[in-house]
Amino acid sequence: MRLFAAIFIPEKALDEIVELQSKLRSMIHARASWTRREKMHITLRFFGDYDVEEASRKISQALANESVFPVTLSSLSGFPSPMRARVAFLDHECEPLVRISTLLMEEGDRKPHPHLTLARFYRPLRLPALSFEPINFIANEVALVNSILHGENAGYHVLQTWKLGGDKG
């Protein structure tokens, strides 16, 4: 299974993200694969081909003391850099996202960078300057997702969810 841990985005914030993505799309005239609304999420960790029970255990441990928390998507950036982006993503100001991602890491993993992918480009490009009002929402659940790339079952399939403790909204 091709697994990842994610936070899916509430509808109101999704509306804002899709509008921002549309604005970005109008500014970029390059071949790209744009993330569809129903697939938008903040990636906490991509596990890849990984045991479901082990991934579930790691997520449970990482979330053991975690309460709901606010997320602010505040800037556009790119991997490997905004000057030669293969991926355009929304970056955040959110320490809990980094903390959870770090807890999900294994020895040898790259430093985590939780993010929301807007597009993948066929060739690296310089991202345009794009200012926008920060997009805010409350993260209250984490999902373990199986990503099936091909066939009649292609898509994201949520295998398990964890409600975060507390109530901040």
Side-chain angles (χ1 to χ4, degrees), residues 5-29:
I7 294 175
F8 286 96
I9 312 302
E11 288 298 317
K12 182 181 180 304
L14 267 179
D15 291 342
E16 295 174 59
I17 293 165
V18 168
E19 184 178 321
L20 180 65
Q21 183 189 48
S22 179
K23 187 175 179 182
L24 178 64
R25 198 173 191 161
S26 72
M27 299 168 79
I28 293 177
H29 305 288

PDB file of all heavy atoms in Angstrom, residues 5-29:
ATOM      1  N   ALA A   5       0.110  10.128   5.897  1.00  0.00           N
ATOM      2  CA  ALA A   5      -0.666  10.724   6.987  1.00  0.00           C
ATOM      3  C   ALA A   5      -1.008  12.146   6.553  1.00  0.00           C
ATOM      4  O   ALA A   5      -0.148  12.861   6.019  1.00  0.00           O
ATOM      5  CB  ALA A   5       0.140  10.738   8.275  1.00  0.00           C
ATOM      6  N   ALA A   6      -2.260  12.548   6.784  1.00  0.00           N
ATOM      7  CA  ALA A   6      -2.701  13.839   6.258  1.00  0.00           C
ATOM      8  C   ALA A   6      -3.757  14.486   7.136  1.00  0.00           C
ATOM      9  O   ALA A   6      -4.445  13.823   7.910  1.00  0.00           O
ATOM     10  CB  ALA A   6      -3.286  13.646   4.863  1.00  0.00           C
ATOM     11  N   ILE A   7      -3.866  15.791   6.939  1.00  0.00           N
ATOM     12  CA  ILE A   7      -4.984  16.565   7.484  1.00  0.00           C
ATOM     13  C   ILE A   7      -5.759  17.086   6.279  1.00  0.00           C
ATOM     14  O   ILE A   7      -5.197  17.800   5.430  1.00  0.00           O
ATOM     15  CB  ILE A   7      -4.487  17.728   8.363  1.00  0.00           C
ATOM     16  CG1 ILE A   7      -3.796  17.162   9.612  1.00  0.00           C
ATOM     17  CG2 ILE A   7      -5.641  18.658   8.733  1.00  0.00           C
ATOM     18  CD1 ILE A   7      -3.158  18.202  10.498  1.00  0.00           C
ATOM     19  N   PHE A   8      -7.026  16.697   6.192  1.00  0.00           N
ATOM     20  CA  PHE A   8      -7.869  17.200   5.112  1.00  0.00           C
ATOM     21  C   PHE A   8      -8.429  18.559   5.519  1.00  0.00           C
ATOM     22  O   PHE A   8      -8.558  18.873   6.695  1.00  0.00           O
ATOM     23  CB  PHE A   8      -8.969  16.193   4.767  1.00  0.00           C
ATOM     24  CG  PHE A   8      -8.430  15.015   4.003  1.00  0.00           C
ATOM     25  CD1 PHE A   8      -8.084  13.846   4.654  1.00  0.00           C
ATOM     26  CD2 PHE A   8      -8.221  15.101   2.634  1.00  0.00           C
ATOM     27  CE1 PHE A   8      -7.555  12.765   3.955  1.00  0.00           C
ATOM     28  CE2 PHE A   8      -7.686  14.034   1.935  1.00  0.00           C
ATOM     29  CZ  PHE A   8      -7.359  12.863   2.593  1.00  0.00           C
ATOM     30  N   ILE A   9      -8.754  19.357   4.537  1.00  0.00           N
ATOM     31  CA  ILE A   9      -9.073  20.767   4.726  1.00  0.00           C
ATOM     32  C   ILE A   9     -10.592  20.966   4.807  1.00  0.00           C
ATOM     33  O   ILE A   9     -11.328  20.440   3.966  1.00  0.00           O
ATOM     34  CB  ILE A   9      -8.523  21.606   3.537  1.00  0.00           C
ATOM     35  CG1 ILE A   9      -7.068  21.236   3.232  1.00  0.00           C
ATOM     36  CG2 ILE A   9      -8.686  23.095   3.798  1.00  0.00           C
ATOM     37  CD1 ILE A   9      -6.088  21.403   4.348  1.00  0.00           C
ATOM     38  N   PRO A  10     -11.076  21.747   5.792  1.00  0.00           N
ATOM     39  CA  PRO A  10     -12.517  22.048   5.869  1.00  0.00           C
ATOM     40  C   PRO A  10     -12.992  22.819   4.629  1.00  0.00           C
ATOM     41  O   PRO A  10     -12.215  23.532   3.975  1.00  0.00           O
ATOM     42  CB  PRO A  10     -12.643  22.920   7.117  1.00  0.00           C
ATOM     43  CG  PRO A  10     -11.381  22.717   7.887  1.00  0.00           C
ATOM     44  CD  PRO A  10     -10.323  22.339   6.892  1.00  0.00           C
ATOM     45  N   GLU A  11     -14.268  22.710   4.323  1.00  0.00           N
ATOM     46  CA  GLU A  11     -14.853  23.271   3.100  1.00  0.00           C
ATOM     47  C   GLU A  11     -14.599  24.762   2.911  1.00  0.00           C
ATOM     48  O   GLU A  11     -14.235  25.191   1.821  1.00  0.00           O
ATOM     49  CB  GLU A  11     -16.362  22.989   3.042  1.00  0.00           C
ATOM     50  CG  GLU A  11     -16.702  21.544   2.753  1.00  0.00           C
ATOM     51  CD  GLU A  11     -16.193  21.060   1.411  1.00  0.00           C
ATOM     52  OE1 GLU A  11     -16.308  21.799   0.402  1.00  0.00           O
ATOM     53  OE2 GLU A  11     -15.659  19.942   1.354  1.00  0.00           O
ATOM     54  N   LYS A  12     -14.802  25.563   3.944  1.00  0.00           N
ATOM     55  CA  LYS A  12     -14.622  27.017   3.804  1.00  0.00           C
ATOM     56  C   LYS A  12     -13.193  27.334   3.382  1.00  0.00           C
ATOM     57  O   LYS A  12     -12.966  28.136   2.470  1.00  0.00           O
ATOM     58  CB  LYS A  12     -14.979  27.737   5.101  1.00  0.00           C
ATOM     59  CG  LYS A  12     -14.856  29.244   4.992  1.00  0.00           C
ATOM     60  CD  LYS A  12     -15.185  29.930   6.315  1.00  0.00           C
ATOM     61  CE  LYS A  12     -15.067  31.431   6.259  1.00  0.00           C
ATOM     62  NZ  LYS A  12     -13.786  31.948   5.829  1.00  0.00           N
ATOM     63  N   ALA A  13     -12.213  26.720   4.025  1.00  0.00           N
ATOM     64  CA  ALA A  13     -10.814  26.945   3.666  1.00  0.00           C
ATOM     65  C   ALA A  13     -10.528  26.396   2.267  1.00  0.00           C
ATOM     66  O   ALA A  13      -9.761  26.996   1.500  1.00  0.00           O
ATOM     67  CB  ALA A  13      -9.887  26.329   4.699  1.00  0.00           C
ATOM     68  N   LEU A  14     -11.150  25.271   1.921  1.00  0.00           N
ATOM     69  CA  LEU A  14     -10.971  24.714   0.574  1.00  0.00           C
ATOM     70  C   LEU A  14     -11.428  25.703  -0.496  1.00  0.00           C
ATOM     71  O   LEU A  14     -10.774  25.837  -1.529  1.00  0.00           O
ATOM     72  CB  LEU A  14     -11.764  23.413   0.421  1.00  0.00           C
ATOM     73  CG  LEU A  14     -11.049  22.118   0.715  1.00  0.00           C
ATOM     74  CD1 LEU A  14     -11.999  20.940   0.537  1.00  0.00           C
ATOM     75  CD2 LEU A  14      -9.797  21.943  -0.108  1.00  0.00           C
ATOM     76  N   ASP A  15     -12.539  26.388  -0.248  1.00  0.00           N
ATOM     77  CA  ASP A  15     -13.025  27.396  -1.200  1.00  0.00           C
ATOM     78  C   ASP A  15     -11.945  28.440  -1.453  1.00  0.00           C
ATOM     79  O   ASP A  15     -11.682  28.817  -2.601  1.00  0.00           O
ATOM     80  CB  ASP A  15     -14.294  28.085  -0.680  1.00  0.00           C
ATOM     81  CG  ASP A  15     -15.508  27.179  -0.642  1.00  0.00           C
ATOM     82  OD1 ASP A  15     -15.497  26.123  -1.318  1.00  0.00           O
ATOM     83  OD2 ASP A  15     -16.471  27.518   0.076  1.00  0.00           O
ATOM     84  N   GLU A  16     -11.311  28.915  -0.381  1.00  0.00           N
ATOM     85  CA  GLU A  16     -10.269  29.934  -0.495  1.00  0.00           C
ATOM     86  C   GLU A  16      -9.041  29.388  -1.228  1.00  0.00           C
ATOM     87  O   GLU A  16      -8.434  30.086  -2.051  1.00  0.00           O
ATOM     88  CB  GLU A  16      -9.866  30.435   0.891  1.00  0.00           C
ATOM     89  CG  GLU A  16     -10.979  31.162   1.621  1.00  0.00           C
ATOM     90  CD  GLU A  16     -10.580  31.522   3.037  1.00  0.00           C
ATOM     91  OE1 GLU A  16      -9.578  32.251   3.208  1.00  0.00           O
ATOM     92  OE2 GLU A  16     -11.262  31.067   3.980  1.00  0.00           O
ATOM     93  N   ILE A  17      -8.679  28.151  -0.940  1.00  0.00           N
ATOM     94  CA  ILE A  17      -7.504  27.530  -1.568  1.00  0.00           C
ATOM     95  C   ILE A  17      -7.738  27.341  -3.061  1.00  0.00           C
ATOM     96  O   ILE A  17      -6.868  27.638  -3.881  1.00  0.00           O
ATOM     97  CB  ILE A  17      -7.153  26.195  -0.877  1.00  0.00           C
ATOM     98  CG1 ILE A  17      -6.676  26.460   0.549  1.00  0.00           C
ATOM     99  CG2 ILE A  17      -6.102  25.429  -1.674  1.00  0.00           C
ATOM    100  CD1 ILE A  17      -6.642  25.219   1.432  1.00  0.00           C
ATOM    101  N   VAL A  18      -8.908  26.862  -3.422  1.00  0.00           N
ATOM    102  CA  VAL A  18      -9.226  26.644  -4.842  1.00  0.00           C
ATOM    103  C   VAL A  18      -9.228  27.977  -5.593  1.00  0.00           C
ATOM    104  O   VAL A  18      -8.743  28.062  -6.730  1.00  0.00           O
ATOM    105  CB  VAL A  18     -10.560  25.887  -4.992  1.00  0.00           C
ATOM    106  CG1 VAL A  18     -11.057  25.898  -6.420  1.00  0.00           C
ATOM    107  CG2 VAL A  18     -10.409  24.455  -4.482  1.00  0.00           C
ATOM    108  N   GLU A  19      -9.748  29.024  -4.978  1.00  0.00           N
ATOM    109  CA  GLU A  19      -9.723  30.351  -5.598  1.00  0.00           C
ATOM    110  C   GLU A  19      -8.276  30.823  -5.799  1.00  0.00           C
ATOM    111  O   GLU A  19      -7.919  31.338  -6.865  1.00  0.00           O
ATOM    112  CB  GLU A  19     -10.491  31.341  -4.719  1.00  0.00           C
ATOM    113  CG  GLU A  19     -10.609  32.714  -5.322  1.00  0.00           C
ATOM    114  CD  GLU A  19     -11.428  33.650  -4.441  1.00  0.00           C
ATOM    115  OE1 GLU A  19     -12.431  33.209  -3.857  1.00  0.00           O
ATOM    116  OE2 GLU A  19     -11.037  34.825  -4.347  1.00  0.00           O
ATOM    117  N   LEU A  20      -7.445  30.619  -4.793  1.00  0.00           N
ATOM    118  CA  LEU A  20      -6.035  30.989  -4.892  1.00  0.00           C
ATOM    119  C   LEU A  20      -5.324  30.159  -5.969  1.00  0.00           C
ATOM    120  O   LEU A  20      -4.547  30.690  -6.768  1.00  0.00           O
ATOM    121  CB  LEU A  20      -5.361  30.791  -3.537  1.00  0.00           C
ATOM    122  CG  LEU A  20      -3.886  31.134  -3.452  1.00  0.00           C
ATOM    123  CD1 LEU A  20      -3.676  32.624  -3.671  1.00  0.00           C
ATOM    124  CD2 LEU A  20      -3.340  30.709  -2.100  1.00  0.00           C
ATOM    125  N   GLN A  21      -5.621  28.871  -6.011  1.00  0.00           N
ATOM    126  CA  GLN A  21      -5.030  27.997  -7.025  1.00  0.00           C
ATOM    127  C   GLN A  21      -5.418  28.467  -8.428  1.00  0.00           C
ATOM    128  O   GLN A  21      -4.594  28.479  -9.340  1.00  0.00           O
ATOM    129  CB  GLN A  21      -5.487  26.556  -6.807  1.00  0.00           C
ATOM    130  CG  GLN A  21      -4.870  25.563  -7.776  1.00  0.00           C
ATOM    131  CD  GLN A  21      -5.522  24.198  -7.671  1.00  0.00           C
ATOM    132  OE1 GLN A  21      -6.756  24.084  -7.663  1.00  0.00           O
ATOM    133  NE2 GLN A  21      -4.701  23.164  -7.586  1.00  0.00           N
ATOM    134  N   SER A  22      -6.655  28.881  -8.606  1.00  0.00           N
ATOM    135  CA  SER A  22      -7.126  29.378  -9.896  1.00  0.00           C
ATOM    136  C   SER A  22      -6.353  30.635 -10.300  1.00  0.00           C
ATOM    137  O   SER A  22      -5.965  30.795 -11.467  1.00  0.00           O
ATOM    138  CB  SER A  22      -8.621  29.660  -9.819  1.00  0.00           C
ATOM    139  OG  SER A  22      -9.094  30.161 -11.020  1.00  0.00           O
ATOM    140  N   LYS A  23      -6.116  31.509  -9.342  1.00  0.00           N
ATOM    141  CA  LYS A  23      -5.350  32.732  -9.603  1.00  0.00           C
ATOM    142  C   LYS A  23      -3.923  32.358 -10.021  1.00  0.00           C
ATOM    143  O   LYS A  23      -3.398  32.912 -10.997  1.00  0.00           O
ATOM    144  CB  LYS A  23      -5.343  33.601  -8.349  1.00  0.00           C
ATOM    145  CG  LYS A  23      -4.748  34.952  -8.520  1.00  0.00           C
ATOM    146  CD  LYS A  23      -4.930  35.758  -7.228  1.00  0.00           C
ATOM    147  CE  LYS A  23      -4.320  37.128  -7.333  1.00  0.00           C
ATOM    148  NZ  LYS A  23      -4.448  37.878  -6.078  1.00  0.00           N
ATOM    149  N   LEU A  24      -3.312  31.427  -9.308  1.00  0.00           N
ATOM    150  CA  LEU A  24      -1.958  30.977  -9.645  1.00  0.00           C
ATOM    151  C   LEU A  24      -1.935  30.354 -11.038  1.00  0.00           C
ATOM    152  O   LEU A  24      -1.040  30.623 -11.835  1.00  0.00           O
ATOM    153  CB  LEU A  24      -1.456  29.975  -8.606  1.00  0.00           C
ATOM    154  CG  LEU A  24      -0.067  29.384  -8.850  1.00  0.00           C
ATOM    155  CD1 LEU A  24       1.005  30.473  -8.799  1.00  0.00           C
ATOM    156  CD2 LEU A  24       0.225  28.288  -7.817  1.00  0.00           C
ATOM    157  N   ARG A  25      -2.925  29.555 -11.321  1.00  0.00           N
ATOM    158  CA  ARG A  25      -3.006  28.874 -12.622  1.00  0.00           C
ATOM    159  C   ARG A  25      -3.049  29.877 -13.771  1.00  0.00           C
ATOM    160  O   ARG A  25      -2.452  29.649 -14.816  1.00  0.00           O
ATOM    161  CB  ARG A  25      -4.244  27.985 -12.624  1.00  0.00           C
ATOM    162  CG  ARG A  25      -4.250  26.939 -13.669  1.00  0.00           C
ATOM    163  CD  ARG A  25      -5.445  26.014 -13.480  1.00  0.00           C
ATOM    164  NE  ARG A  25      -5.287  24.877 -14.331  1.00  0.00           N
ATOM    165  CZ  ARG A  25      -5.904  23.745 -14.174  1.00  0.00           C
ATOM    166  NH1 ARG A  25      -6.728  23.576 -13.168  1.00  0.00           N
ATOM    167  NH2 ARG A  25      -5.712  22.755 -15.004  1.00  0.00           N
ATOM    168  N   SER A  26      -3.744  30.991 -13.552  1.00  0.00           N
ATOM    169  CA  SER A  26      -3.831  32.018 -14.598  1.00  0.00           C
ATOM    170  C   SER A  26      -2.504  32.742 -14.799  1.00  0.00           C
ATOM    171  O   SER A  26      -2.282  33.362 -15.839  1.00  0.00           O
ATOM    172  CB  SER A  26      -4.939  33.023 -14.277  1.00  0.00           C
ATOM    173  OG  SER A  26      -4.553  33.862 -13.207  1.00  0.00           O
ATOM    174  N   MET A  27      -1.611  32.658 -13.819  1.00  0.00           N
ATOM    175  CA  MET A  27      -0.312  33.333 -13.890  1.00  0.00           C
ATOM    176  C   MET A  27       0.783  32.433 -14.474  1.00  0.00           C
ATOM    177  O   MET A  27       1.844  32.929 -14.851  1.00  0.00           O
ATOM    178  CB  MET A  27       0.113  33.785 -12.491  1.00  0.00           C
ATOM    179  CG  MET A  27      -0.840  34.769 -11.851  1.00  0.00           C
ATOM    180  SD  MET A  27      -0.483  35.010 -10.100  1.00  0.00           S
ATOM    181  CE  MET A  27       0.899  36.141 -10.208  1.00  0.00           C
ATOM    182  N   ILE A  28       0.531  31.134 -14.509  1.00  0.00           N
ATOM    183  CA  ILE A  28       1.552  30.180 -14.946  1.00  0.00           C
ATOM    184  C   ILE A  28       1.116  29.554 -16.262  1.00  0.00           C
ATOM    185  O   ILE A  28       0.031  28.984 -16.356  1.00  0.00           O
ATOM    186  CB  ILE A  28       1.781  29.091 -13.872  1.00  0.00           C
ATOM    187  CG1 ILE A  28       2.392  29.719 -12.634  1.00  0.00           C
ATOM    188  CG2 ILE A  28       2.660  27.973 -14.419  1.00  0.00           C
ATOM    189  CD1 ILE A  28       2.594  28.768 -11.486  1.00  0.00           C
ATOM    190  N   HIS A  29       1.968  29.648 -17.247  1.00  0.00           N
ATOM    191  CA  HIS A  29       1.667  29.070 -18.553  1.00  0.00           C
ATOM    192  C   HIS A  29       2.680  27.972 -18.841  1.00  0.00           C
ATOM    193  O   HIS A  29       3.523  28.096 -19.717  1.00  0.00           O
ATOM    194  CB  HIS A  29       1.667  30.164 -19.629  1.00  0.00           C
ATOM    195  CG  HIS A  29       0.733  31.278 -19.288  1.00  0.00           C
ATOM    196  ND1 HIS A  29      -0.631  31.153 -19.346  1.00  0.00           N
ATOM    197  CD2 HIS A  29       0.960  32.532 -18.833  1.00  0.00           C
ATOM    198  CE1 HIS A  29      -1.206  32.275 -18.955  1.00  0.00           C
ATOM    199  NE2 HIS A  29      -0.262  33.128 -18.636  1.00  0.00           N
TER     200      HIS A  29
END
